[in-house]
Amino acid sequence: MPFPSARPCLLKVKNYEPGKPLEELEREYGIRRAVKMASNENALGPSPKAVLAMRKALKRVHRYPESKCHALRQALSRRLGVSPESLIFGNGSDEVLVLAVRAFVEGGDQVVIADPTFLIYEIAARTQNGGVVKVPMKDFRYDLEGMRRKLSAKTKVIFIANPDNPVGTYVREKDLVRFLRAVPRRVVVVLDEAYYEFARDMEGYPDSLSLLKTFKNLLVTRTFSKAYGLSGLRMGYGIAHPSIVEALNKVREPFNVNLLAQEAAAAALDDRSHLERTLEMVRKGREYFYDEFKELRLSYVETVTNFVLADLRTDARVVYEKLLRKGVIVRPMTAWGLKTFIRVTIGKMNENRRFVKALKETLTK
């Protein structure tokens, strides 16, 4: 019998390679107390309120979770000032991004993205047999005019990561509004704000929820994985016109967000002091990295996120492997075509110092 063959479009899909887990590094190299600075997680961990909420919910895990995330939906609706019907929840905001492609893209359609940017955009488009149009950044910033020129009758979805991952820069509101006015209303514009909490107070950062009132083809996505420290629970959400949400729900699994994630996210949302401690840790760590990179005469991209993209001026994979042996995990940018760059997550100050020490030892040998 012939072996089952997958859809031909999957031949174009390059699997996403996540950062190496701590446990894997320690097992492979026999290292203890390694530090992971590769996946833009919150080094402070989750809010104590979130942990308590999960403990209380443990006795209910034999039941299916609320399919519509009712409690969290009401809490976010009040916090954001949006209608409950304009919210959709996902197994991480990644799932909401994928749902957008599943709902609006089919064979022959096109998705427009920046280059470099979050890899999931291209992967999601390819799995739907969609074409991918890449528009190179200019000085590590979005070329929105270049993206506008690439729009065609085949364009169905545009992805804008704001701030961008892996670059760390952001699109200003005046530029975004000009772009949105030029985009046909039949095209869905996904504004991926996974790092929103780190960037929201920056000069000119867009008030995306206000823009939703004018641009009905806009989908804003956010997550509890980054600033809220709940990466392991996979909890994200989208905000859009109810008609877009309705389309996404057509392709959403009924119990896609687990019970513990829902409870933890609702509790984390109310712990503003934990969020402020996180933001302060990132601010201090960011300045520390800038100073140390300058001392090493390394160029870097100024960021509004909890990570920094730095050019080592040498093969980043080689440096990455050497850092692993010193118990430090960073992210080489080879998959993004940036062969001499690494992306390093801002952690606790002792972790930041350990990374810098290891990097100096590696680059000076």
Side-chain angles (χ1 to χ4, degrees):
M1 291 180 61
F3 193 78
S5 58
R7 290 180 295 133
C9 66
L10 297 184
L11 295 174
K12 300 179 182 179
V13 176
K14 294 182 180 179
N15 286 359
Y16 182 85
E17 294 185 16
K20 182 181 283 290
L22 279 171
E23 297 80 6
E24 182 178 323
L25 171 64
E26 294 179 345
R27 183 172 61 249
E28 287 183 3
Y29 293 88
I31 294 172
R32 291 187 174 184
R33 295 184 294 278
V35 294
K36 184 182 179 186
M37 308 179 75
S39 299
N40 306 334
E41 297 150 335
N42 185 341
L44 291 183
S47 157
K49 292 183 178 180
V51 174
L52 179 60
M54 283 188 285
R55 285 176 178 160
K56 290 181 178 179
L58 283 173
K59 62 180 177 293
R60 294 189 281 122
V61 295
H62 63 302
R63 303 294 187 189
Y64 284 108
E66 279 258 7
S67 181
K68 295 183 179 180
C69 303
H70 177 76
L72 181 58
R73 181 182 300 274
Q74 297 303 315
L76 266 177
S77 173
R78 292 190 296 271
R79 174 66 61 86
L80 302 178
V82 299
S83 69
E85 296 76 24
S86 64
L87 291 166
I88 184 166
F89 297 89
N91 187 35
S93 60
D94 288 20
E95 186 185 23
V96 182
L97 304 175
V98 172
L99 292 179
V101 176
R102 288 180 62 190
F104 294 102
V105 176
E106 55 189 355
D109 293 335
Q110 291 182 342
V111 172
V112 177
I113 64 174
D115 185 24
T117 194
F118 190 37
L119 298 177
I120 292 296
Y121 306 152
E122 179 174 0
I123 293 173
R126 299 287 187 199
T127 59
Q128 286 298 109
N129 199 25
V132 178
V133 178
K134 297 182 181 181
V135 179
M137 289 190 173
K138 290 184 176 180
D139 296 324
F140 295 106
R141 293 188 177 277
Y142 268 70
D143 178 10
L144 292 180
E145 178 57 26
M147 295 178 82
R148 185 196 65 76
R149 290 196 298 268
K150 290 294 184 179
L151 300 182
S152 72
K154 295 181 179 180
T155 306
K156 285 295 185 69
V157 175
I158 303 168
F159 282 104
I160 299 175
N162 202 34
D164 186 76
N165 172 24
V167 174
T169 59
Y170 68 101
V171 174
R172 293 174 179 267
E173 180 161 340
K174 61 182 179 63
D175 299 319
L176 179 61
V177 169
R178 186 184 306 117
F179 177 74
L180 290 173
R181 285 173 177 163
V183 174
R185 294 298 178 261
R186 59 175 177 77
V187 178
V188 176
V189 180
V190 181
L191 195 61
D192 180 357
E193 294 187 339
Y195 299 90
Y196 164 78
E197 288 79 12
F198 301 108
R200 64 188 180 189
D201 294 328
M202 298 296 172
E203 182 181 355
Y205 187 77
D207 180 357
S208 56
L209 301 190
S210 178
L211 295 179
L212 284 169
K213 300 172 184 176
T214 302
F215 301 100
K216 308 301 184 185
N217 58 330
L218 185 62
L219 167 62
V220 179
T221 63
R222 294 179 183 173
T223 185
F224 285 88
S225 293
K226 306 303 180 184
Y228 289 100
L230 299 177
S231 298
L233 290 177
R234 314 304 301 123
M235 179 72 239
Y237 61 99
I239 316 111
H241 189 273
S243 63
I244 289 181
V245 171
E246 182 180 4
L248 300 187
N249 275 320
K250 298 283 187 182
V251 294
R252 178 182 65 86
E253 296 296 325
F255 302 106
N256 60 323
V257 180
N258 73 74
L259 170 65
L260 299 184
Q262 293 184 37
E263 296 289 343
L269 195 63
D270 284 334
D271 195 345
R272 303 199 184 204
S273 62
H274 184 75
L275 179 60
E276 284 305 316
R277 287 194 297 274
T278 296
L279 299 181
E280 181 62 20
M281 175 191 73
V282 169
R283 281 191 288 267
K284 290 180 178 178
R286 183 188 297 137
E287 293 304 318
Y288 171 74
F289 278 163
Y290 289 172
D291 291 342
E292 294 296 332
F293 288 152
K294 287 174 184 174
E295 183 179 317
L296 287 167
R297 297 184 178 180
L298 299 178
S299 61
Y300 58 88
V301 180
E302 290 194 1
T303 181
V304 294
T305 66
N306 66 335
F307 61 82
V308 182
L309 184 70
D311 187 358
L312 305 181
R313 300 193 306 275
T314 187
D315 189 336
R317 290 291 307 186
V318 174
V319 176
Y320 164 74
E321 292 290 343
K322 290 181 179 179
L323 289 176
L324 287 182
R325 287 169 171 76
K326 295 179 180 292
V328 177
I329 310 173
V330 297
R331 195 71 180 270
M333 292 287 100
T334 309
W336 285 263
L338 303 171
K339 297 182 179 180
T340 63
F341 285 76
I342 61 168
R343 189 192 67 196
V344 56
T345 304
I346 299 165
K348 296 177 182 177
M349 195 53 71
N350 65 309
E351 296 172 327
N352 298 336
R353 292 193 181 100
R354 182 170 171 183
F355 156 70
V356 168
K357 180 176 182 294
L359 182 63
K360 287 180 176 178
E361 292 172 352
T362 300
L363 293 179
T364 55
K365 285 186 179 179

